[in-house]
């Protein structure tokens, strides 16, 4: 899939990826300016601040709105940093541009709604401003791509994506499950689209920010957007996932940014081994499905149901335990065999 894009050209240095940093919410002018100056002293070039805050339930702090935009303008004037904020309505876009906001992003709740995204796209026609689109709250790659296509169709050429993880009802380590394969597939489908990682919203806890930043770099993300507050414990929103500018500087200083070097002969040899093993796997799966079809004939002749629950449970338990003994995650092996079983049933039907 091709997008006609221009480079974002965000400022950075040779040792670090580009980083957009700042508080979850622009709470007070003092808080905004204190955080901004501390970040600027640490070498940050782009300042984020939530002006409008979509909350899950009413009654919480929903941002200062237009009142906070002059504070963002002051940040730019005094520190030289570019400024960024989230927009969710055409009115937000109008006000953000009026006050000179340099970078806009579309939040996860908004990108999940094609009607809302289209309204934003219409309001952006004729505007030359970088726009970053967060993934929808649900793990729906097509919905994410659709939101990007709508903004692109409006004429926005400095376009990027933000991976902030996906909502889940299950108890888990992360606030939002990363599901890294989805942004990886997005990059495969749209290779020239910059993808930024949001470790704050993925982790939901400040102790997870550093490892998530490194993981993003290891997987080739183009940059980071991190929530940083001069006094995180007193933040009016998302206090647990914000870090001080000092801590953020510590994290960024220790990041290992991988080089995107040409494939070496040794790597080529190992990839050839993977390709050979994948060919062997495909051959084995083909033979397995042929046996499944033979089983289907036997079941039909003996008036047996297609799905044998006891047998299915036995396979999952046995192969999951075997996977653990072989150094693999039992849940991974179970997912593999669930997919194999689903195709086997389809073949038998």
């Amino acid at each position: 899939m091709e997008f006609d894009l221009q480079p974002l050209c965000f400022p950075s240095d040779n040792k670090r990826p580009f980083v957009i940093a700042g508080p979850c919410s622009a709470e007070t002018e003092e808080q905004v300016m204190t955080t901004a100056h501390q970040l600027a002293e640490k070498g940050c070039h782009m300042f984020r601040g939530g002006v409008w805050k979509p909350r899950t339930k009413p009654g919480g702090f929903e941002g200062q709105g237009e009142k906070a935009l002059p504070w963002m303008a002051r940040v730019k004037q005094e520190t030289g940093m570019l400024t960024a904020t989230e927009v969710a309505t055409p009115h937000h876009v109008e006000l953000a541009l009026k006050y000179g906001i340099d970078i806009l992003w579309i939040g996860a709740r908004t990108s999940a709604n094609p009607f809302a995204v289209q309204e934003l796209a219409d309001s952006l026609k004729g505007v030359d401003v970088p726009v970053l689109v967060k993934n929808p709250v649900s793990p729906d790659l097509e919905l994410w791509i659709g939101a990007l296509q709508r903004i692109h169709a409006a004429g926005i050429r400095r376009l990027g994506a933000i991976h902030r993880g996906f909502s889940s009802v299950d108890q888990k380590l992360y606030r939002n499950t990363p599901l890294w394969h989805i942004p990886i597939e997005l990059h495969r489908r749209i290779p020239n689209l910059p993808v930024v990682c949001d470790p704050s919203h993925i982790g939901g806890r400040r102790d997870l920010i550093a490892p998530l930043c490194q993981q993003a770099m290891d997987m080739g993300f183009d940059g980071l957007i991190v929530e940083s507050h001069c006094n995180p414990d007193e933040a009016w929103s998302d206090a647990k996932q914000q870090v001080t500018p000092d801590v953020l500087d510590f994290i960024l200083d220790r990041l290992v940014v991988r080089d995107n070097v040409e494939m070496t002969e040794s790597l080529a040899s190992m990839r050839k081994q993977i390709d050979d093993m994948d060919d062997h796997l495909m051959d084995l799966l083909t033979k397995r499905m042929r046996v499944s079809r033979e089983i289907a004939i036997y079941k039909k002749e003996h008036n047996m149901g297609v799905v044998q629950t006891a047998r299915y449970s036995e396979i999952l338990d046995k192969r999951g335990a075997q996977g653990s003994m072989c150094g693999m995650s039992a849940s991974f092996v179970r997912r593999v065999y669930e997919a194999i079983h689903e195709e086997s049933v389809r073949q038998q039907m």
Side-chain angles (χ1 to χ4, degrees):
M1 185 180 301
E2 282 296 326
F3 276 55
D4 175 22
L5 300 178
Q6 297 174 4
L8 291 176
C9 294
F10 287 167
S12 61
D13 55 46
N14 294 330
K15 297 179 181 179
R16 296 176 174 179
F18 74 76
V19 179
I20 305 172
C24 173
S25 301
E27 302 160 0
T28 66
E29 186 170 9
E30 180 183 5
Q31 170 249 5
V32 167
M33 297 312 302
T34 299
T35 306
H37 280 290
Q38 290 179 4
L39 287 168
E41 289 170 3
K42 301 299 182 183
C44 290
H45 304 289
M46 290 175 284
F47 181 82
R48 58 147 290 154
V51 174
W52 299 278
K53 298 302 299 179
R55 312 309 297 169
T56 302
K57 294 180 179 180
F61 176 62
E62 297 186 339
Q64 298 286 14
E66 185 176 1
K67 176 183 175 182
L69 289 169
W71 310 340
M72 300 289 282
R74 185 182 163 197
V75 167
K76 185 176 179 180
Q77 181 182 11
E78 293 188 12
T79 69
M81 287 194 288
L82 300 180
T83 55
T85 198
E86 177 180 348
V87 292
T89 71
H91 184 56
H92 293 171
V93 172
E94 178 186 353
L95 288 175
L97 296 176
K98 174 184 173 182
Y99 285 90
I101 297 294
D102 300 290
I103 304 158
L104 308 179
W105 80 79
I106 297 173
R109 293 175 176 87
T110 307
S111 63
N113 184 341
F115 293 108
V117 175
Q118 189 59 55
E119 288 184 356
L120 288 173
D122 293 341
S123 71
L124 287 164
K125 287 181 179 177
V127 175
D128 181 20
V129 62
V131 178
L132 305 176
V133 180
K134 286 196 174 186
N135 61 262
V137 291
S138 60
D140 189 334
L141 177 59
E142 301 307 321
L143 192 58
W144 196 1
I145 291 175
L148 289 159
Q149 287 175 326
R150 290 177 189 275
I151 302 301
H152 182 263
I156 298 296
R157 293 297 176 262
R158 289 187 289 166
L159 184 63
I162 299 176
H163 174 51
R164 48 82 77 188
F166 302 92
S167 297
S168 171
V169 297
D170 299 324
Q171 283 276 28
K172 54 193 181 302
L173 172 63
Y174 300 115
R175 174 180 175 180
N176 292 306
T177 308
L179 299 182
W180 298 107
H181 65 282
I182 294 181
I184 289 171
E185 176 62 12
L186 175 69
H187 182 66
R188 189 190 71 81
R189 300 261 291 268
I190 315 174
N192 59 334
L193 179 76
V195 184
V196 181
C197 184
D198 179 351
S200 304
H201 282 89
I202 292 176
R205 293 178 7 213
R206 60 182 65 116
D207 61 303
L208 295 174
I209 302 300
L212 284 167
C213 285
Q214 186 59 63
Q215 195 166 359
M217 293 300 97
D218 291 345
M219 289 191 287
F221 279 73
D222 297 282
L224 302 165
I225 180 168
V226 185
E227 291 187 349
S228 180
H229 191 294
C230 58
N231 188 5
D233 290 331
E234 300 301 321
W236 296 2
S237 60
D238 288 346
K240 294 181 179 180
Q241 66 190 40
Q242 301 190 63
V243 296
T244 65
D246 281 340
V247 170
L248 177 60
D249 185 57
F250 180 86
I251 292 171
L252 297 177
D253 267 351
R254 282 150 183 78
L255 274 185
V256 178
V257 181
R258 310 296 179 186
D259 292 328
N260 187 18
V261 297
E262 293 295 322
M263 184 168 61
T264 63
E265 183 177 342
S266 177
L267 179 59
S269 174
M270 288 185 283
R271 285 183 173 175
K272 178 63 169 60
Q273 293 178 51
I274 291 290
D275 288 341
D276 290 343
M277 286 183 275
D278 284 344
D279 288 340
H280 188 47
L281 277 174
M282 289 300 299
D283 183 53
L284 288 174
L285 284 172
T286 301
K287 292 176 180 177
R288 193 185 195 283
M289 293 305 161
R290 185 176 68 240
V291 174
S292 289
R293 292 192 294 272
E294 292 172 358
I295 289 174
I297 295 172
Y298 179 90
K299 287 178 178 177
K300 184 176 181 180
E301 290 174 348
H302 293 80
N303 197 30
M304 298 171 64
V306 172
V307 178
Q308 305 291 311
T309 306
R311 167 65 175 163
Y312 180 40
S313 296
E314 177 191 349
I315 291 173
L316 293 182
D317 293 341
K318 180 179 178 181
R319 299 308 175 191
Q322 189 177 9
S324 294
M325 294 174 62
C326 295
M328 291 179 284
S329 160
S331 61
F332 159 72
V333 175
R334 286 177 66 92
R335 288 196 302 273
V336 169
Y337 273 89
E338 284 168 359
I340 291 173
H341 181 262
E342 181 180 347
E343 176 61 19
S344 181
V345 170
R346 192 190 69 80
Q347 296 268 344
Q348 293 189 34
M349 294 292 287

